[in-house]
Amino acid sequence: MLDAKTSCLLRGFAGVIFGILALLIPEIVLGTFSGLFWVLIGIGIALFLFLAISAKHDESIFWFGMAAALLIIGVISVIFAQFVAILLILIIAAIAIYNGFTDIMLALARPKSKYVLIPVMVISGFVLLAVLFSYFPSIMSDPALSVVGTFALVFGLFSIMLGFYNPDDSDGDFAAGRAACEIPDDRENR
């Protein structure tokens, strides 16, 4: 298991990389997610078929049903190709939002910074989005990917900042010895 600082930095760098790629080359990102979807469908079908063949008789029908469901999802994705790419992008957006809310929870754990970090993170995302839309109108060609990429970039930058935050340098804002990306656990005080 990674320590909290490393985890926060990895999440931040992943968000920044995805955000930059989503803003600069959205067609390639959509194509990559479509290809990734097909790889995952293929691996899932192969895994479920293996489990169906090697499982007990009672469980075998369940795994065959799961493989059939993935096959149906694959057929539907051929009919609605862009839907699958957008669905995967929305999954990435959900992960970015989760990381953002984790950062918000970290900010709430810090009494002195909670009133600053949360609004700054949200406002900076909207400001960056407005700046990008006004200076680069071509970004509007794929607005969903642009919004997801912008907020992934902003939340990633805030995760990196929280990863580099050193609680020992603070003036009591956060308990000494705790990592910046660790949510305080009250069980230690019991």
Side-chain angles (χ1 to χ4, degrees), residues 105-106 109-110 174 178 181-188:
M105 293 302 295
L106 292 171
R110 298 184 185 139
F174 202 64
R178 289 193 188 260
C181 286
E182 179 182 351
I183 297 176
D185 189 7
D186 292 336
R187 290 179 287 180
E188 295 174 3

Side-chain angles (χ1 to χ4, degrees), residues 2-140:
L2 297 174
D3 65 332
K5 180 178 181 178
T6 306
S7 173
C8 212
L9 289 173
L10 287 176
R11 286 185 305 148
F13 285 124
V16 168
I17 290 169
F18 174 75
I20 290 172
L21 289 177
L23 290 172
L24 294 179
I25 47 175
E27 297 84 19
I28 295 174
V29 170
L30 282 174
T32 302
F33 278 107
S34 295
L36 178 66
F37 173 77
W38 283 108
V39 167
L40 291 176
I41 288 288
I43 289 172
I45 289 174
L47 177 70
F48 289 153
L49 286 177
F50 172 76
L51 289 173
I53 293 170
S54 63
K56 296 177 185 176
H57 178 65
D58 297 342
E59 299 172 354
S60 176
I61 193 71
F62 172 74
W63 295 115
F64 274 122
M66 293 297 290
L70 281 181
L71 187 61
I72 291 170
I73 290 172
V75 169
I76 290 173
S77 69
V78 168
I79 297 169
F80 305 108
Q82 288 291 11
F83 174 74
V84 173
I86 290 175
L87 181 67
L88 284 174
I89 287 171
L90 290 177
I91 290 170
I92 295 295
I95 293 169
I97 289 170
Y98 170 76
N99 287 335
F101 282 123
T102 302
D103 294 344
I104 289 171
M105 293 302 295
L106 292 171
L108 291 175
R110 298 184 185 139
K112 294 181 182 176
S113 65
K114 69 180 176 184
Y115 298 112
V116 175
L117 189 61
I118 296 169
V120 167
M121 187 167 56
V122 173
I123 290 171
S124 62
F126 283 117
V127 166
L128 180 62
L129 193 61
V131 167
L132 288 175
F133 282 163
S134 65
Y135 286 111
F136 303 104
S138 64
I139 240 172
M140 285 298 289

